[in-house]
Amino acid sequence: MTEERAEKHHDPRPDTLSRAWGDLVRTARRSAADGLVVGTSGNVSVRVGDTVLVTPSGVPYDRLGPEDATGVDLGGHRVLGTLTPTSELPLHLAVYRSTGARAVVHTHAVHATAVSTLVDEIPPVHYAAAMLGGPVRTAGYARYGTPELAAKMLDALRDRTGCLLRNHGTVTYGSSLDEAYDRTAQLEWLCRVWLAAGSVPGRAPSLLSPEQLDEVAEALRGYGQRG
């Protein structure tokens, strides 16, 4: 992984957890509103200190309230709430244990899921790939909620901040919920572009070279507003 492992943090204050839970719920509802998940599919988590807040299993996002806050420690033991955490908890915890991530978003976005059934790596049709660390890989298939899926995901995430899960969906992470979500949206858009370009009969999309992607990655280091 390119990002440093997270340092040890003390347990957060209740008001800090409350604000983080509100942000998590808003992000989860946004993923549904944007069509990246259907029903209770997909899940979202955010790390606050040594606590990982995560969406609970089988509860529609529009029904989640402050009283539904669900949290575990990095060992997966519940430390907050009474609801059962998402079945994909091993996936989320694997990211936090292996990277400096502060938030993880897992979706079943339509175009990205379709692409996950077709390729081992998304062809670099656009420089958005550089925003995820380079050409996005597809993790090998394993049943949802298993340590096997988490291990295959980590392999696909090597030096990346997002990947596809074969016949399943997407995983992205970031230093905040907004960053993790933006990467999810970029990944879905990238897959949609590749599918559209590849659907033209008799034509193949042009691809960016590794050197061109490296140039974009370098330019991105100075992108955005400076404080």
Side-chain angles (χ1 to χ4, degrees):
M1 298 289 178
T2 56
E3 296 196 17
E4 297 180 357
R5 291 174 181 269
E7 297 179 356
K8 181 77 171 176
H9 290 270
H10 297 298
D11 290 336
R13 293 171 49 179
D15 58 333
T16 301
L17 286 173
S18 178
R19 287 194 299 270
W21 176 253
D23 291 340
L24 180 150
V25 170
R26 283 187 288 274
T27 300
R29 289 174 177 169
R30 182 182 177 189
S31 70
D34 290 349
L36 301 180
V37 299
V38 176
T40 59
S41 67
N43 25 79
V44 178
S45 68
V46 61
R47 181 176 177 178
V48 186
D50 293 326
T51 299
V52 175
L53 298 175
V54 63
T55 47
S57 178
V59 181
Y61 297 151
D62 61 355
R63 298 181 190 174
L64 289 175
E67 69 281 2
D68 298 315
T70 304
V72 300
D73 61 22
L74 290 176
H77 304 102
R78 190 165 57 199
V79 296
L80 178 66
T82 60
L83 298 178
T84 301
T86 173
S87 58
E88 292 291 13
L89 184 60
L91 181 151
H92 289 260
L93 294 181
V95 175
Y96 291 117
R97 292 172 186 149
S98 302
T99 75
R102 283 290 174 269
V104 177
V105 176
H106 166 50
T107 79
H108 293 179
V110 172
H111 299 91
T113 302
V115 172
S116 80
T117 72
L118 299 172
V119 297
D120 294 328
E121 182 177 277
I122 304 171
V125 292
H126 192 275
Y127 63 77
M131 300 176 185
L132 295 158
V136 178
R137 307 181 188 101
T138 302
Y141 180 79
R143 185 179 67 79
Y144 75 90
T146 60
E148 290 78 12
L149 176 60
K152 291 182 177 183
M153 172 204 67
L154 286 181
D155 186 54
L157 280 177
R158 190 177 64 258
D159 301 322
R160 302 288 186 269
T161 54
C163 74
L164 301 181
L165 305 176
R166 178 82 67 193
N167 297 85
H168 186 158
T170 71
V171 174
T172 58
Y173 71 88
S175 60
S176 66
L177 282 165
D178 283 344
E179 184 173 60
Y181 190 86
D182 287 346
R183 286 170 173 167
T184 295
Q186 287 285 350
L187 180 51
E188 169 68 354
W189 180 85
L190 182 63
C191 289
R192 187 175 182 180
V193 168
W194 181 72
L195 287 171
S199 68
V200 180
R203 302 295 298 271
S206 62
L207 303 178
L208 298 177
S209 68
E211 293 75 20
Q212 288 171 321
L213 286 180
D214 287 345
E215 183 181 18
V216 172
E218 181 63 30
L220 286 173
R221 293 188 179 97
Y223 180 77
Q225 302 296 320
R226 299 294 181 90

